[in-house]
């Protein structure tokens, strides 16, 4: 792999920012994220992890309308946001893989006190994680999806307003 031309990358970032980042933000046409859907190889294992370890309440379980026998289940992430899962019994989906155009990670905002408690719970449960900058914890869920628990407020990232 060749060395990155960091000044050229920064120049391109600056060009795109100047061309598209408006000083006065228009209203979005969206109301918010209804849910993000991930895949689960084992419904109960997923519930034990997201509700039992991370403290995200399970809110509903229904049959997936697109695949008979598949469960579509939801966890409350606060502020009207949901994290959803599908299982696909009978399909061999293989292990989680990060691919171009796929999910890199899902960042979930929690308040700083909860962030510290979750760090303790992860350690007590023997779940590997990586702490970054004193505000982020990166971990893998039981199916391998990368999750970030972020102590920054919604709309902020590392002290920068992003919303």
């Amino acid at each position: 792999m060749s060395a990155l031309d960091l000044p050229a990358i920064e120049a391109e970032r600056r060009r795109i920012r100047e061309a598209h980042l408006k000083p006065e933000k228009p209203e979005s046409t969206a109301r918010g994220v209804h849910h993000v859907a991930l895949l689960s190889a084992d419904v109960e294992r997923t519930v034990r992890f997201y509700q039992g370890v991370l403290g995200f309440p399970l809110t509903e379980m229904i049959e997936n309308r697109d695949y008979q026998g598949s469960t579509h289940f939801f966890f409350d992430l606060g502020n009207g946001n949901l994290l959803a899962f599908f299982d696909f019994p009978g399909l061999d989906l293989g292990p989680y893989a990060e691919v171009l155009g796929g999910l890199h990670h899902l960042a979930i905002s929690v308040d700083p006190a909860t962030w510290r408690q979750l760090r303790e719970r992860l350690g007590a449960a023997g779940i590997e994680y990586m702490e970054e900058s004193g505000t982020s914890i990166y971990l893998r869920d039981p199916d391998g999806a990368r999750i970030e628990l972020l102590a920054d407020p919604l709309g902020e990232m590392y002290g920068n307003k992003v919303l």
Side-chain angles (χ1 to χ4, degrees):
M1 184 167 141
S2 61
L4 293 175
D5 184 350
L6 296 178
I9 291 170
E10 177 53 36
E12 179 65 358
R13 183 181 302 119
R14 187 172 37 257
R15 182 194 69 74
I16 294 170
R17 184 184 301 116
E18 289 170 1
H20 299 284
L21 190 61
K22 312 245 185 287
E24 296 199 20
K25 310 291 183 281
E27 288 292 320
S28 176
T29 57
R31 293 189 298 187
V33 173
H34 186 280
H35 68 274
V36 173
L38 302 178
L39 299 177
S40 168
D42 181 317
V43 173
E44 189 167 11
R45 180 183 71 181
T46 300
V47 171
R48 284 194 311 262
F49 179 76
Y50 281 95
Q51 180 169 262
V53 176
L54 297 182
F56 305 154
L58 179 68
T59 63
E60 186 58 274
M61 298 180 81
I62 57 177
E63 185 172 50
N64 177 1
R65 68 178 179 211
D66 302 323
Y67 186 84
Q68 191 173 18
S70 170
T71 302
H72 195 182
F73 53 110
F74 300 85
F75 297 92
D76 182 359
L77 295 181
N79 292 305
N81 297 287
L82 294 167
L83 177 60
F85 286 85
F86 294 112
D87 71 334
F88 290 107
L91 294 181
D92 180 17
L93 299 178
Y96 176 84
E98 288 182 11
V99 296
L100 189 59
L103 177 72
H104 181 269
H105 73 278
L106 175 63
I108 299 170
S109 177
V110 296
D111 68 63
T114 301
W115 184 88
R116 290 188 293 277
Q117 291 171 353
L118 288 172
R119 183 180 59 196
E120 298 292 322
R121 289 166 85 174
L122 292 169
I127 297 169
E128 291 184 27
Y129 65 88
M130 182 184 80
E131 186 177 330
E132 178 65 39
S133 305
T135 59
S136 291
I137 297 171
Y138 291 93
L139 60 134
R140 298 266 183 190
D141 83 353
D143 288 299
R146 188 188 325 246
I147 305 296
E148 177 185 12
L149 301 174
L150 186 62
D152 288 341
L154 290 171
E156 290 185 24
M157 186 77 178
Y158 309 137
N160 296 303
K161 293 275 187 192
V162 294
L163 181 62

